[in-house]
Structure formats: structure tokens, C-alpha cells
Amino acid sequence: MTPSPAGAARPVPFRKILIANRGEIACRIIRTLREMGIASVSIHHAVEARARHVREADEAVEIAGETPVAAHLDIARIIEAARRTGADAIHPGYGFLSENARFARAVTEAGLVFIGPDADAIALMGDKISARQFAEEHGVPVAPSVMPTEDLPDFLKRAAGIGFPLLIKAAAGGGGKGMSIVRSAAELEGAARLASSEAQRYFGDGRVYAELFVERPRHIEVQVLGDGKGGAIHLFERECSVQRRFQKIIEEAPAANLSPALRDEICASAARLAAAAGYRNAGTVEYILGADGRFFFLEMNTRLQVEHPVTEMITGLDLVRLQIEIAAGHGLPMHQDEVTAHGHAIECRICAEDPARDFLPETGTVLHLDVPRAPHLRFENALDRGQRVTADFDPMLAKLVAHGPDRASATQRSIEALRELALLGVKTNVDYLARVLEHPAFAAGELHTGFVAEHRNALAAPELDRQTADRALIAAALGMREFHSLVFDVPEPHASIGPWRN
Amino acid sequence: MSRLQSAINTASADFRRNEAHNRRIVAEFRERQEAARHRRPQRDLERLDRQKKLTPRQRIELLLDPGTPFLELSSLAANMAYGGESPSASSIVGIGIVSGREVVVRADDPTVKGGAWYPLTAKKIVRALDIAMENRLPVIHLCDSAGGFLQLQSEVFPDRYMAGRIFRNQSILSKMGVKQLALVFGHCTAGGAYIPGLSDYSVIVRGTGAVFLGGPPLVKAATGEDVTVEELGGADMHTSVSGTCDYPADSEEHAIEIGREIVSQWDRLPRWDIQREAPEEPFYDPAEIYGIVPDDIKKSFEMREIIARVVDGSRFHEYQPAYGTTLVCGFANIWGYKVGILANNGVLFNDSSLKGAHFIELCNQNNTPLVFLQNITGYMVGREYERRGITKDGAKMIMAQSCSRVPKFTVMCNGSFGAGNYGMCGRAFDGRFLFSWPNHQIGVMGGDQAANTLAEVKANQMRRNGSAVDQAEIARLWEETRKAYQEQLSAYYATSELWDDGIIDPLDTRNALGMAISASLNAPLGPPGYGVFRF
Amino acid sequence: MPFKLAIDGKPHSLTILARRPQLVVAVDGRRHVVETVDAAGDGRRALTIDGAETGFVRAETVEGALLRIDGRTIEVRRLDAATEASAAGSGAHLVRAPMPGIVISIHKTAGDSVRRGETVITIESMKLQMKLDAPRDGEIAEIGIREGEGFEKDAVLARLAAPASEG
């Protein structure tokens, strides 16, 4: 099939699509469905019966569940809901059942269309070992490693062959036991023996494992689209190196300071992998990129990513629309050389958490939400004033995405939007995100996954200066009934006479 | 309304001499006031501190809305009594703003003799409650008093206007619907116990506040019962068992906070609709008053110059400018409020008396409050004036003034002698407020005149008895009379005895009158009408 | 009475120095001229403080207010005299029975520290269960009754220790 030109609408056979998700992503999908003239069905647990994704959908179905999360993972009930409402297809969003091969299969078996890859692709990429092997077989670099063994001399020989630094750990391990970083051949044997004996002692399994240790690694990922018939294109890369608690908090596209050659190499390898897998629909290939320019396959996410808007903003494409079109059998929307990128986009994940307390989740009630608006901004959320923010779901509340002609302006626009954004009633990382963006190392593009830890002190909230504190106190007081009456209820002439004493 | 034209030359020798003189007088007044307000024996202050108690003035400052005025009344009451042992008569009274409402604040002063009530304390409290009644102002009592000063019980206890009157006034106030709140910080013993008892609302501080008819020593003496202050009349007992007090508080600040919240529940009754303009500062500098009032009470001065430094924009509409010129009458605004001013510019003659009576009637007809600026040596005496009926003309002015339905305010700007005091709304005539400048003197006549009069009487007596006039004896009598008069003529003596509502710095006149007029608007105007005028 | 607020547990005192011609507020003694004072209420607001226009967003909470100002979110809490007095150890020492009844459960023992409003004893009276709270912050000096026991109105069921400073 000849790909149609970018942006041109291609008719699809779906009249109604059920969204097996909630929150901002459900709302975002509903938005595209509406544009495409497709009816939407939301699902929800009883606790979120009045949530925005429920209100905005054309129809909503309550799914019973012991916990709200359990409801969103209940394959049988969700498919039943789709059947009952007459939906033609199911969009899984991200998280929940989006990478569940069993779900994808069940959807298909129910005679519905699963908007995503087929179950086999999900299964292939869902298993870390098989995915890694598959990548390696198709010329996508993987981090060199020595597979678990008890044969120490063999281990040492092969490990030395990889080069340094090396990460050595117990095969059965966890919790850092027996883990060490080896920077030279001289240290190798001692470290391996120690790791092995500790592994034996703690886990009763003396096998050790070694892998090339990438120092100051960057997290680079590539958005791909496959037609399921061996055709695949990429929509450029995203950088997601700024992370805390092993989760991304700031993503951007394109990656900073990436040479065009390296960019092309990484992106091409991702498209190659998708094509080789006969991958259908949107997916993301994740890489680790070392300071030396070497990059290694990490994993492939067989779904829409949280951070997909940054790709949308630089390419001008609607990924959800493309997903639906591909699911409808339209194939790829364009040739690789028709995909163009403009400017720079940054996404900040706004989470209910306290950066001062190791990013522990916070709860509360949304008392006020005031969102900056501009053509270059997207604020993806499903928040309502008065909404309780509980521990029932992920602490991510919203995403603020800003576009600019270059990285510096996208950064500046993000900072301004974060400063202007008012989300009151639950503690969030909004100010923390602004401090990250303001940090000179961020501006310089000196990113790696240890960024948050490395700059911990510099990123801590500064002392509140007296001027701001005074202004805040005055502004707060004037909003309080008692202080307001103290100011305004004094009669004349007393208010004019002022604090006179005779 | 046009501005008054001032003819004052601030560079003149007279102006400078007067100014130096009056600044000295005001400095002395401020010094006496400072002593009465703040100078206390160290041990009394330390005791208060040990008890974690605030001084009454600190309590008042916390009670008032911040940034609002407080018109303290009679700050020098009792300053010439009891050897100075009862500064401000051991009680602070004033008008201020609490939770946006105009109220009378009355505080016992535990820094002197445990807050015991002297005779003049009772007089001052009675006056405070009279003000509350006349102007329908709610009252907040800050209670901390050991009770009546027993050594002077005959002057505190039995008579009509002594301590009992306080409780009578409290009862009548409540009947009138004028609210009272008692904040009990310390002891309310004996009669003092009725202050919270008769207040509509009361708050009592745990630990330090106590209310009882007889304290533990009295109970021990009377019945042999051993009982602690807490058990006998503490906060928890009164708020949970006896119901004598309404709210327990955990600290003085807490009590004040509860009190402020109580006041914020009170209704705001309508004030009568006085004519009002946007306020305007006087065009002429009020500080020039110091250079205008002469350094000798016998020297006269132009009252319009004073008016120009008290009223809004120095604007004055003069009534009958060419008739009865020794009494200046006219309309002006003070803090925006329309008032009718009567000011002495010399002795009162027949025509000035008739003019005054007529102007008072005009103000009553126009619902315009009256402001009297006194500097009066009396009504004119002598055969000619008696034949013209100076007495009956003066009587007309007194009749019109006494029967006025509009509120009246008097400022003693200088002398107040003889019957002129009556016509110009002296203390006996129920003006809402009466303030004195520190240079003020008051008496039936001046010291010299009294001495002359008595010396003349004595000499006549000697002549009648056929003896020679003993010039030395006459001179001694003259000097003695003058000295005694002089002391009692002074503003300090007058204010000590509560013949006024306090001495004020002349520069404070506009604010004091502004707050006084504002207070007066809370009470509806009385019915119109006069007695029989003698024509 | 000054208006007391706290940010991050640090107390601040606000008082009004003047209302005309402009509002002048002192924060911990620092003087600020406040203009264009708009109505109370939540949402995006603006004030001119010391000549500089300050935009902010405000939301009232149970304890005070949340402010978004100068690119920061600040939580402001109200302090009242009762809280301060309670923290300073003054206040009632006794937990009394408001009506006759029996003790259902005792939640604290002598020596326990309690916060104002924390339940000390649950009683039942007239078929109604009722929690009796600590009248202030402090330490339980004595529980004067056992579970299942009955009592008369006004009986002292528990007593708080006197603050150390008053020894």
C-alpha cells in the first residue's frame, strides 16, 4: 500500500472505541477520537465515577474491582464492556494492560481490534532475554556481558574480553549484594571472587554475571511505527535521562548534543529492529548511550509512551490517530524521508510527590488549578477542582509539554509555564522541575540518568527569601475572612484617623 | 464654604513667646501623662510578669483592631488625689475599635494596689458607663481588681454615684440592648464580681482569672472553710459548674481572641444620618495653635484662628458675622461631620447671648451637633446690662443649650469663668464629651478676682466693725485666697476630679472631636422642644 | 491583636499600621504598602506591594492558605492564641465527665503525651458513645477510672500534668 501524505485523514472503519485506561491519557485519546468522529467509551472503577475521562467520553462503563487498579486490569470485564457497548476496537493507552499479550490476544479473539502490536510482538519484546537476543541477532548493539556462570576462570577470561569498567553482580542477586564496579583487570579477580562468595552466602547461588558498565548513561529512545508487514519508520529520538526513583520526569525531543551521524545510527537501528520483528503500530525502542558514543539496546515498549507528545510536537503528527489508522489496516502514513522535525519539545511530568522527602508520593485535594495557555504549550491532564489525589493510582497528575524553535527557548518556555502553573492542594514537583530546567548542566545538555542524584544539593528548594515570604503572607492574609474584615470593617473616621493615641 | 483668612504672623515676637510657653505646658502635660500611664514600682511590674499577666495597656493594644485610633478619656484622673497613688484613677477608659465596632474599653489597673477601686475610680467607671448609655456604645471590661479600696469605703460605697452606680448602669445598659463583654484576667472580688456577672458575655483566663464575692481569706474568716482560688472562683469552675462565666481561655491572648470574636458577632445598629462631606485636613497648620493661645490667661485672642486650625479645610460658614460679635457662631465640618460651632471672642453681652440661643435653635432644627469652644470670663455685669436683661438673655441661651436634642461637645480652650461656663455647655449640661486644653482654668471667677472680692468683703467687714482696716491681714487673705483658687482653677485639678473627660493636647482636638462625634451618632436624637423662654 | 501566620512552622506576625490613604501592613515589623487590594476569595489575584504588582494564585485550606507566588508554592497556616497557649502547656488540666455513664475504653495511660483534641477516654452514657479529648497538649498525669466502671456527672476521669515550668 502506498503511504498517504502526512496529515491527510484516512477513513477508518471504527465507529466506537473503548479506552482501557483512565486519567490524562484517556482524555488525550478521547480528544483524537472526537476529531476523527469516532465515539468513545471510558471504563472506570466506582471511586472514579465522576472523573474527567468518564465525563468526557461519550459512554462510560463501571468495572467492578476489589481495588481501582484491579478493575483496570480485569481483562474479561473490560472486553465484556467493549462488547456490550458495541465498540469496534480497544485502545489500551500506556500502563495497565497496554503491554499484556494475553489481553491483546483476548481482544482479537473477541472479534475486536486491539490498537497496538499483535500479541506475539508484545510477548517477544516483553521478555527481556528474548528481546535482547532478537536485537543482537538483528545488528542492534546490546551491552556486552558474561552470562551467569560458576566457572570462575572462564568468567574472568570472558569478562576481561569485554573491557572496563565492568559491573559485576550476583546472578541471583538483588539489593546490591555482591555488586561492584571494576575499573581495571587487576581488580577483576578479587571482585569476582568476592561477588561469588557473597552470592553463595546470601543466595546460595554462587553464579556471577558481568556487564559493561556505562558511566553517566543517557536514556535515548526512538519512536517507531510499523505496518506489521515488515515496513517500519522512525519518528526520531527522545531523550529521557532526567529520572528519579528510576522513572522519567523530564523528556525531550530531539536529544541534546547528539551528532547527526549518531542520531541517524540510533534511529535507523530502531526502525530496523521494528521492521525485523514485523512490528505493527507504534512502539518505542530504548537505548543506553554512553559518554563515549556507544549505545546499547535496553528494551522495546510495545505501546504509546507517556512522553509521546514531545515527538508529536516536533513532527506535527498525531500518534494516536496514526495508531488507529494503522490498526484499521492503513499501513504507514509516510515514507521515512517524509518525516521531518521542527524545533525542540520538552515534557515535564507533574507528580504528586515531595522532592524534599526523596520524591515520596503525596496525597491531597486539588483546590485550585490554573493552567498557562499558549499555542506552544500542551497541558495533558484529567484533573478537576476538588478531586482527591489518593494513593490508588500513579502519582503522575499531568504533563506539561512546551515547544520552541530551539532547545533553549523550549527550556525557557517550560520554565515560564511551570512558574505560572498553579496546582494547589497537593504537594507536587512543579518547582523542582523548574529548578532542573534552570540548572546550567541541563542547559548545557550534560544529561545522564544520575542527573538528579548528582545535583541533589543544587536542586534542593532554596530558602524562602524574606521578600517573597512577606508577599505570600500578605496575599494569604488578605484572602482570609478574619484579616479581610480586620482591614475593611473599620468604620470612618477611625480608618482614616489611623493608629492615633491622645 | 469659604476658607477662613488667617491673620497670624508666625514670625512675630508674640507668636514665638506664646509658642514657647504653650509647648512647655504641653510638654509638662505629656510628662504627667507618661508617669500616670507607665511609671510603676518595679516590684508591681515584676509580680505581673511572674503571673504571666500583661499590663492593662498591653491588653488594650491587643484588643483593639491594629492601626485604629484609641481616644483615652481622663488619663490624668486622680492625679491630684491620694498623694498620686492612683494614676489615671486606677482605671483606663477610652473609645476604640474592636472587630470593626466602636466600643468603650474599660480596664482595671492591677499595677497599682492590685487594681483596687478608689473613690475616683468608681466615679470614672460610672462616667464611662454613662458615656456608653448616652452614646449606646458597647462596653468591654478588662477585669483585674481586688475590689473597693477599703480605707476609703465611705467615699466608694454608699452614695448614689458611687460604686453601686456601676452595677446599676450595667443593668440599664443591658436593658437598653447595649452589649457588654467582660474579659476576666485577674481577680474580680466582692462588688467587682458583678462586672462579669452583669455583662452579657464573659471570658475568664485559666489560672489567673477568678470571680468571687469573698476571696479565700474572707471565706476562712467567715466560715472557717479552707478553699483554693481555683475551687472558689476559677475559670473551669465558673464555666463548667456555676455558669457565672461563659468561655474559659487558656491565656490572656486567647481570652482577647475569644473576646474579639464575640464582638464580631454583635449587630451593627444604624447611626443617625448626620450631614457628612469628604474629610479634609485643616488648611492651616494646627501646630500654630501654640503660637495663638497667649502666655497669659488674661490676654484675649481671636477664636476664628483656632477654628481655622481644627475644622476641615479651615472652612467656616459664619452666622450673623456682624451681630453679637463676642460669640462667634457658624457651620463647619470636623472629620467630615457637619457641626455648629459656638466660640467665645470676649464677654457675653445681651446680643451675643441672643445670637447664641438662636443659633442653637437653628442647629437643633437642622440636626447639627454643637461644638462649644470655651474661652469665657462670663456674662457682662453692671447696671446697664442688668437693665437690658443680661440675666434673662443669658437664661435664654442656657435654656436653648440645655434642651438641645443634638449632641453637644465642649472644648475648654482657655478660661471658663462664671455663668459663661453654663451657657457654653459646662460639665453640668450633659454634653456628650468635654475636653480641656492643659492651659485651661476653671472657676466661678479668676484667682485675682476672687482675692479682690474677698479682700473687699473683709475690708468692709472691718470698717463695719469700726476697726481700722488691717492692710497686712488683707494682704495675707488676698494671697491665701489667690493661691488656693489658683490650684483649684488648674486644668489638672479639674481633670483629677473628673470635671472633664480628659486633658488633650490642643493639636489632638480635631481627632478627639471626630471620634466623639462619631460615637454620639449611635444614640438616636431625643425629642425636640424647650422649656419656657423668658422674653 | 496582630494576625499570626506560619510558613514551614515558622511564626510570622502581621499587623495593620494604616488603612488610608493606602493599606500599610507590617510583617514581623517590616513595613509594606499594599495597593489594589481586591476582594477575598480564591483564584488568580494581584496586589501591588511596595509599588510592585504581584500576581499570585490563592486557595484557602482548612488550616490557612496555599499560595502560588513568585514561581513557588507556599503553604501558610493560621496560628491562633488557643493553639499557642496549648503548645505552651496552659489550658485545662482535667478531663471531666459531661454526664453520668460508664467507661467503654481508655486510650491513654499515665505518662503518655497527648495532643490537644486527642481522645483519652471513650464513655457511654444514655446509649450514646462519646469521646473525651485532651483539653491541651501535655502529659497524662493520672487516669482516675478503669474500663467498665461507672461515674457521675462532672467526675474527673483523667488529669494532665502541670507544665514543667510551673513546677
Side-chain angles (χ1 to χ4, degrees), chain A residues 178-195:
Chain A
M179 198 187 288
S180 66
I181 293 164
V182 178
R183 297 184 182 278
S184 71
E187 301 167 31
L188 182 58
E189 185 171 350
R193 285 189 189 285
L194 186 67

Side-chain angles (χ1 to χ4, degrees), chain B residues 333-491:
Chain B
N333 295 80
I334 294 176
W335 276 108
Y337 298 123
K338 175 75 68 199
V339 292
I341 294 178
L342 294 92
N344 303 116
N345 235 7
V347 116
L348 287 163
F349 291 98
N350 299 71
D351 55 356
S352 28
S353 305
L354 291 172
K355 173 182 172 182
H358 193 85
F359 184 67
I360 290 168
E361 289 185 87
L362 294 180
C363 288
N364 275 295
Q365 183 201 46
N366 199 48
N367 296 341
T368 303
L370 293 163
V371 173
F372 295 88
L373 302 179
Q374 280 206 23
N375 178 23
I376 181 69
T377 50
Y379 288 92
M380 193 62 203
V381 295
R383 179 170 38 187
E384 176 59 22
Y385 299 98
E386 296 292 358
R387 286 178 61 86
R388 283 199 222 155
I390 186 70
T391 302
K392 72 174 188 177
D393 286 347
K396 291 191 189 82
M397 186 173 165
I398 292 173
M399 175 69 79
Q401 185 266 105
S402 299
C403 298
S404 285
R405 64 195 290 256
V406 294
K408 300 174 289 186
F409 308 90
T410 306
V411 181
M412 299 294 194
C413 298
N414 204 35
S416 177
F417 297 107
N421 169 282
Y422 304 155
M424 291 294 287
C425 195
R427 187 59 155 177
F429 293 83
D430 286 348
R432 296 292 178 90
F433 293 89
L434 189 155
F435 302 110
S436 307
W437 289 0
N439 53 299
H440 159 63
Q441 292 186 11
I442 183 168
V444 68
M445 58 185 75
D448 287 4
Q449 294 92 313
N452 288 343
T453 309
L454 279 177
E456 187 57 34
V457 170
K458 185 76 181 173
N460 284 343
Q461 206 175 35
M462 288 171 174
R463 281 186 210 104
R464 265 202 313 276
N465 295 346
S467 54
V469 175
D470 181 346
Q471 287 303 336
E473 171 63 15
I474 294 289
R476 195 192 53 76
L477 180 72
W478 191 92
E479 197 50 50
E480 208 172 67
T481 308
R482 186 178 173 278
K483 192 164 168 282
Y485 250 76
Q486 220 59 38
E487 186 186 293
Q488 296 202 347
L489 286 173
S490 82

